[in-house]
């Protein structure tokens, strides 16, 4: 019974790693009817959702440099979420560049606001981050004209990572439970 339980745990661990490999990028949500409120972007209906290895993108009237992103002639909104990780607390420069409106939130606090229809430019601010993980959210608004672009950069000491899917936590908990049960059965006298 111990060997079959350990085999089940190994299969479960394999199932755990599959969603992690499948979700290799940041989840990007594209929305209709964006509204730039000067402190955030509100969104209409969800048009598309995809994984992207890039937070940064640029597009012209006819093409986009990253698959999945709309072209510049479309009004759309986008939301990207993830984590910032630092080994020790401190102040770190974060940069957000945009062609039209974009907002960066760290731990639910607005840290960069770039409202309105505008040409591409970048804003850099020093942000205090605690040790470990902090959440980030980028809300983007593309107006009705000309070009579109978004960039997000961090200090070299800050790691930007995708948001793990909720199913990953469930699979991890189940796998750990099976491994723990197998270890407990192993310690029991026969």
């Amino acid at each position: 019974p111990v060997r079959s339980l350990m085999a089940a745990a190994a299969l479960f661990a394999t199932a755990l790693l599959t969603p992690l490999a499948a979700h290799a990028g940041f989840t990007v949500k594209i929305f209709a009817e964006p509204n730039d409120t000067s402190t955030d972007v509100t969104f209409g209906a969800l048009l598309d959702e995809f994984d992207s290895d890039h937070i940064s993108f640029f597009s012209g009237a006819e093409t986009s440099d990253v698959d999945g992103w709309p072209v510049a002639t479309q009004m759309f909104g986008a939301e990207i979420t993830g984590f910032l990780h630092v080994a020790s607390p401190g102040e770190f420069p974060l940069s957000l560049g945009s062609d039209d409106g974009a907002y960066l939130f760290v731990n639910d606090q607005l840290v960069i606001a770039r409202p309105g229809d505008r040409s591409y430019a970048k804003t850099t601010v020093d942000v205090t981050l605690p040790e470990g993980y902090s959440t980030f959210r980028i809300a983007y608004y593309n107006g009705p004209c000309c070009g579109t672009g978004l960039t997000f950069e961090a200090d070299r000491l800050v790691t930007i990572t995708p948001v793990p899917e909720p199913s990953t936590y469930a699979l991890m908990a189940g796998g750990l439970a099976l491994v723990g049960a197998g270890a407990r059965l192993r310690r029991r006298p026969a």
Side-chain angles (χ1 to χ4, degrees):
V2 172
R3 284 187 185 171
S4 61
L5 189 58
M6 295 306 281
L11 284 173
F12 205 78
T14 301
L16 170 66
L17 295 177
T18 301
L20 288 174
H23 187 72
F26 295 89
T27 298
V28 177
K29 295 180 181 180
I30 304 293
F31 297 91
E33 302 169 14
N35 180 32
D36 187 339
T37 67
S38 296
T39 58
D40 200 351
V41 178
T42 59
F43 302 111
L46 179 66
L47 297 175
D48 196 9
E49 184 173 338
F50 57 91
D51 288 343
S52 176
D53 293 333
H54 309 281
I55 292 178
S56 301
F57 74 95
F58 291 92
S59 70
E62 303 298 325
T63 62
S64 175
D65 72 338
V66 178
D67 290 339
W69 287 95
V71 295
T73 55
Q74 296 173 286
M75 280 190 70
F76 68 92
E79 183 176 66
I80 306 166
T81 54
F83 290 107
L84 303 172
H85 182 268
V86 295
S88 58
E91 280 198 359
F92 302 91
L94 301 179
S95 297
L96 183 67
S98 65
D99 180 334
D100 293 336
Y103 302 88
L104 173 63
F105 296 84
V106 175
N107 294 327
D108 297 320
Q109 299 296 313
L110 178 63
V111 296
I112 297 177
R114 298 189 42 73
D117 294 341
R118 57 175 58 232
S119 297
Y120 179 84
K122 190 186 302 187
T123 301
T124 302
V125 299
D126 287 337
V127 177
T128 301
L129 297 174
E131 179 179 345
Y133 288 93
S134 295
T135 61
F136 79 84
R137 178 175 72 91
I138 297 171
Y140 175 74
Y141 157 84
N142 183 59
C145 179
C146 309
T148 186
L150 179 71
T151 59
F152 178 50
E153 300 165 347
D155 181 273
R156 64 181 179 79
L157 299 175
V158 179
T159 305
I160 303 171
T161 63
V163 176
E165 296 177 355
S167 62
T168 302
Y169 293 120
L171 286 171
M172 188 182 313
L176 290 173
L178 281 174
V179 170
R184 188 174 184 161
L185 284 174
R186 218 191 240 175
R187 280 193 254 153
R188 248 197 230 167

